[in-house]
Amino acid sequence: MKIDIILAGVGGQGILSIATIVGAAAIKRGMYMKQAEVHGMSQRGGDPLGKADMIISVEPMESLRYLPWLKKDGWLITNDQPFVNIPNYPDFDALKAELAKVQNCVAINADQIAKDLGSARSSNMVILGAASPYLQLPFEEIENAVRENFARKGEEVVNVNLACLKAGRELAEKK
């Protein structure tokens, strides 16, 4: 079983936590994992254009940046809420229109879902949950990796991250 995933987002949005959790779950399944920063993918051993199975993104513009690497039938899982950190950020409606062109796209307001569940900082777990049906990993193993990753922060943090993970998965399963 092989799955090539691109993780995309802006610094501080939790991409490294997603990578850690997916990596831990994959390794427990005996899978081989290669991780590298996504800057200059072709120079860092990333797949050539049109070969990635999935893009998991916590920021919609960043997800669109990596679309050329996605297979035609690949999955794009993204937060649909922008993190506007540049003065010439694209028009939001145009961005959503581009996302709508992707054959297999789960675009959700992860920011609001996480906020409603009590932790605005956990929108990355909502996105991971939305990606989980397509990851070829048992959901229980992803949950266990979330528990392990956040255990040092206490039970309340673990529980809110698990709630966000489950909420994201439930939304993806409805799409």
Side-chain angles (χ1 to χ4, degrees):
M1 160 173 39
K2 180 181 183 237
I3 183 168
D4 288 321
I5 303 168
I6 295 172
L7 300 175
V10 177
Q13 289 189 295
I15 288 295
L16 292 178
S17 291
I18 291 173
T20 299
I21 291 163
V22 170
I27 289 169
K28 285 201 176 183
R29 296 283 299 165
M31 298 171 77
Y32 171 77
M33 188 183 122
K34 178 171 70 171
Q35 181 177 337
E37 290 191 34
V38 293
H39 302 293
M41 281 196 47
S42 61
Q43 291 86 11
R44 294 187 184 248
D47 277 335
L49 297 178
K51 299 294 183 183
D53 298 295
M54 182 183 301
I55 296 171
I56 301 173
S57 179
V58 293
E59 208 288 324
M61 184 181 74
E62 292 298 317
S63 70
L64 293 176
R65 181 179 299 194
Y66 292 99
L67 271 183
W69 280 273
L70 188 65
K71 288 180 180 176
K72 183 177 173 115
D73 62 344
W75 282 90
L76 170 60
I77 314 298
T78 187
N79 189 357
D80 68 6
Q81 298 302 298
F83 181 81
V84 181
N85 62 344
I86 55 174
N88 59 341
Y89 194 92
D91 175 72
F92 186 61
D93 291 331
L95 223 152
K96 284 187 121 175
E98 289 300 312
L99 292 175
K101 293 177 184 177
V102 178
Q103 177 181 334
N104 298 319
C105 181
V106 177
I108 58 175
N109 186 339
D111 294 351
Q112 189 61 54
I113 295 164
K115 186 176 179 184
D116 290 348
L117 290 171
S119 177
R121 294 186 56 166
S122 298
S123 62
N124 62 331
M125 291 299 103
V126 175
I127 293 299
L128 177 57
S132 67
Y134 316 105
L135 285 175
Q136 303 174 12
L137 294 167
F139 187 64
E140 299 76 29
E141 292 190 22
I142 298 170
E143 288 177 307
N144 288 337
V146 168
R147 284 184 190 94
E148 290 171 13
N149 190 64
F150 293 107
R152 70 186 185 287
K153 294 185 177 186
E155 188 175 342
E156 186 176 330
V157 172
V158 169
N159 290 337
V160 75
N161 279 283
L162 287 170
C164 288
L165 183 77
K166 289 175 186 172
R169 184 174 178 93
E170 289 170 5
L171 278 172
E173 289 176 334
K174 290 178 186 175
K175 296 210 177 233

